[in-house]
Amino acid sequence: MRKPRHLCLLLLALSGAGAAPEPIALTLADALTAAEQTGLDVLIGRETVAQAVASAVRERSGLLPQVTLDATQRRNRSASVGGALVSSGVNSWFDAQLNGRLDLLDPERIATYQAATYAIAVARLGQEQLREVVLATVANTYFTHLRNLQRIEVLDANTGRARSLLQLAQNRFNAGIATQIDLTRAEAQLAIDEQARLQQDTVVQASELGFKRLLALDMGRPLQLAAFNLRRTEPSADPASLEEVAMALRMDLQGARKLLEQNEVEVRAARYGRLPTLAAIGSYGYASTELLNGNETRVWSGSLALSVPVFDSARSRALTNIALSRRRAQELRVQNLHSQIAAEVRLARQDAASRLAQIRVAEKGYRLAEQELALAERRFNQGVADNRELVEAQNRLAAAGDNTVEAVYNYQLSRLELNRVLGRVTAILTEQGE
């Protein structure tokens, strides 16, 4: 009596073991959030900031008091000088001292520490720039995969029309109305559409795997991306206002300017190498002939040390010239980046406006192709023409459908690029329409 029950449990276990894994469902906002946590360049950027912070701490340690504890046990045997005995037996001496040094005035080291603090700001701005690049890449890949999936729908529609055409040709051939060439032409068209559909499966698989690798997702789980429809709006008509936004938000420009400020500090640090330094030095401890013999003597010393470089002008001048050269080079980079951003903004704005107009043209072409296909079907059904016109009309409709999908995709990329050059990639989320 128990065998049927055990058999059912076994079947349930086997069906559960073979169940498909739960799909990964993501929106564009989810993908951008995940990119900030798992993006390789973002993680590397964080380590760069950590290294800059550690370097600044190392430079700051040079400004703090340097304290060491030294303990020495010395022994020496008597020696003779010129035949005369200086000492006899073995001499022993032990001392333990706490030594300290504080640089009261060291302009070069102070300026070097200030430059290190600027390096932290430069690293953080660089990390933000990397973050923008990663987010733009993820959004681009997201839109690309959606485009590839939409092409699947277009190709499925093409295949469905080709099958209908083949059935129509077969019926007319059986009725003696169509010829063998009509039937063969319809079969050839169906084969072409089926081949294109199979090829698109590989394209979709490639974009899906690329997206999973970008976000470190499980390769074995299926992926479901939510549709993202952008509002079709014209970009700002004033390029100057967009340039102002970009100049204020672009992290690469801010980082370049901050690096220029760091170069200014490095120039001062190099020039300060010619200035004197002042340090307070002191020590305190005990001395005796043997360790812990009860005869320790307290010893201490204190001094001020003034160091003035005398024959160091060549080195200081060389370091100054190097720092000045770096500053001039960075000034050129900032100027070039300023011009580059202005050009990128104007080009991205023009491209977004053009891509929006191309969507309207593509949709108009699709509607005309649908009308052409309807007219060709009517002519074929009336026996006025063979199915050559019908096959050609179907091909033009397929091309028009693919062109419409591509136009929408290019518009999405153009809006994404416009937000990227403005330094606000995540603003693409606010442009989602119904």
Side-chain angles (χ1 to χ4, degrees), residues 186-201:
E187 291 176 345
Q189 182 61 41
L190 177 60
I192 292 173
D193 291 338
E194 287 178 342
Q195 181 182 5
R197 176 62 172 79
L198 292 173
Q199 291 175 345
Q200 188 63 21
D201 285 338

Side-chain angles (χ1 to χ4, degrees), residues 70-76 91-96 288-292:
D70 300 326
T72 306
Q73 176 69 58
R74 293 187 295 272
R75 289 178 178 274
N76 66 300
N91 296 321
S92 177
W93 187 260
F94 171 80
D95 57 40
S288 64
T289 57
E290 294 288 345
L291 175 62
L292 302 177

